[in-house]
Amino acid sequence: MVPLRSVVLAGGGTGGHIYPLLAFADALRRHFPQVRITTLGSPKGMENQLIPAAGYDLRVIPAFQLPRSLNLDLLRTPDRMYRSAQAAGEIIDEVRAEVVVGFGGYVSVPAYLAAWRRELPIVIHEVNVPAGVANRMGMKFTKRVAVGFPHQLEQVDVLRNARLVGVPLRTGITRMDRPALRPQALYHFGLRPDLPVLFVCGGSSGARTINLAVAAAAKPLAHAGIQVLHVQGGRNEPFDVPADLPVPYVVVPYLSDMQLGYAAADLMLCRGGAITVAETTALGMPAIYVPYPFSNQEQRRNALPVVESGGGMLVDNSELTPDWIERNIIPLARDRQRLAAMGQAAAQYGRRDGDEQLVRFVWEAVGR
Ligand SMILES: CC(=O)N[C@H]1[C@@H](OP(=O)(O)OP(=O)(O)OC[C@H]2O[C@@H](n3ccc(=O)[nH]c3=O)[C@H](O)[C@@H]2O)O[C@H](CO)[C@@H](O)[C@@H]1O
């Protein structure tokens, strides 16, 4: 492979856009150790914490918000869009980028515009159906679109001619030996090795409904011998957990080492964000998905193929009550055989090579 020299990556907002970008950056580095990697972010997104922490160069460009759909409102934001695109263009010129790779989020739009004006190749990675607003706009400028999941190609959507590459996932997750890491993970969280662990995580921002429902079921879970590892989520208010439980219920604000959570877990209770689904299935992790109800059904669509293949359960946000948890999660978490079967079915659906596949796609786009 003739090496790539300079790549600009754009993506921001929540973890769902940033972690694939970082996993892709790591894979680029492995293939092309000398490549210059520059990332574009907006002033307030999670990229401001996550990208510098991962050791990559983050350039913040002025923010602007797109209207939620492609309509005439777009014409009213040209000034701010122009300033953002100009800032993105200056960075693209400075680092002599050969290609711009976008993962979605508002910050991708100025990057796509600036790359298009310079006639640079643009590659878009999209994980949702319907595709996000920013990426849909980018698709006006390029046909090089990669998707994370087979179900995205089956929709009557702009994505039907995309290339299926999978989702770039952090190697800390894809290369983990779960049984080998488990003792260390349990020790890290102060969990017992002899009892099942329910891992609760509502995506990168946390999920209030899930937090409150599980915390309210803390007593029955504990009395059934089920330990809980609960990620509260950075943007959520704390919740109360009874102090006198007979088994551990561990609350953490956020996990930078997400693989430790997965290693400790026997069963996951989570939202259906695309990257979460990619990770649980890559790991063969049995999961109960509670899709976020307010965004176009995209999370339901993410989880449905996994659930239909036997790799998990689906429950509506409005149905996730302490009573539901008691009736459904307690018997499942104690049934090792059923968990193993679910995990195997999930693994059939999962894939681990999205980072490598996307590197190849981008390399082809540059025409080397
Ligand atoms: C409400 C909403 O609009 N959610 C969207 C958002 O979800 P969100 O940003 O929550 O993204 P995902 O659920 O897809 O991924 C969350 C990521 O954060 C990581 N993580 C999470 C918690 C933690 O403590 N530590 C940690 O590392 C997970 O391992 C995963 O890599 O982006 C996804 C990808 O575009 C979309 O599919 C979701 O629909």
Side-chain angles (χ1 to χ4, degrees), residues 116-132:
W116 170 71
R117 280 201 58 192
R118 287 160 177 76
E119 298 184 4
L120 278 182
I122 299 169
V123 174
I124 295 178
H125 188 263
E126 173 59 54
V127 289
N128 296 303
V129 173

Side-chain angles (χ1 to χ4, degrees), residues 141-193:
F141 307 126
T142 182
K143 294 205 172 344
R144 296 186 180 100
V145 180
V147 292
F149 302 96
H151 74 266
Q152 292 179 272
L153 302 174
E154 290 155 16
Q155 309 286 327
V156 181
D157 193 80
V158 285
L159 299 174
R160 63 185 176 279
N161 296 318
R163 167 135 26 137
L164 177 63
V165 301
V167 178
L169 299 176
R170 290 168 280 177
T171 53
I173 292 173
T174 53
R175 295 187 185 174
M176 155 173 61
D177 178 348
R178 252 175 84 205
L181 189 59
R182 186 175 163 89
Q184 183 196 330
L186 293 171
Y187 179 77
H188 177 85
F189 294 116
L191 294 163
R192 284 168 48 174

